[in-house]
Amino acid sequence: MKYIKQISIILAITFIGEIIYRFIPLPIPAGIYGFLLMLICLQTKILKLEHVKETGNFLLEIMPIMFIPAAVGLINIWGNIADVVFPILFVVLFTTVLVMVTTGKTADFIISRNRGENK
């Protein structure tokens, strides 16, 4: 019964995120609204972590299984994308490194600026 209650809470927040998505004309996915709503509920203690912890952990554990349909889809269309796989991989790897470096430099800047203010 506990798991049914927890999944119901998660689904209700996800549904509210979908409703918000329909009424706010921003190019933000509905799932992001749901995540933000869950974060707000948890941070403001409207919802306690114990109310969704076990089901959340279960969903995190099975997340890799959710990527199997996407991988099978790629296998099915491999003939169509074989010519562009290496350029796509290059762009993905390059942008990943670029984002990591930019994030690191930004974090270093903010940390050093905060240290300067604390002295």
Side-chain angles (χ1 to χ4, degrees), residues 32-48:
I32 300 300
Y33 288 120
F35 284 133
L36 289 175
L37 189 58
M38 178 69 82
L39 177 65
I40 291 167
C41 288
L42 289 170
Q43 289 294 321
T44 59
K45 307 290 189 218
I46 293 171
L47 185 62
K48 292 183 179 160

Side-chain angles (χ1 to χ4, degrees), residues 14-85:
T14 303
F15 181 70
I16 294 169
E18 291 284 340
I19 292 171
I20 293 171
Y21 172 74
R22 300 288 178 217
F23 287 106
I24 298 178
L26 294 174
I28 299 172
I32 300 300
Y33 288 120
F35 284 133
L36 289 175
L37 189 58
M38 178 69 82
L39 177 65
I40 291 167
C41 288
L42 289 170
Q43 289 294 321
T44 59
K45 307 290 189 218
I46 293 171
L47 185 62
K48 292 183 179 160
L49 184 58
E50 294 80 34
H51 293 150
V52 294
K53 186 174 183 175
E54 289 88 4
T55 301
N57 286 336
F58 170 73
L59 291 172
L60 284 174
E61 288 174 7
I62 67 165
M63 189 186 313
I65 296 170
M66 302 304 168
F67 289 102
I68 291 173
V72 170
L74 284 176
I75 291 170
N76 286 338
I77 63 165
W78 182 254
N80 297 338
I81 64 169
D83 296 335
V84 293
V85 167

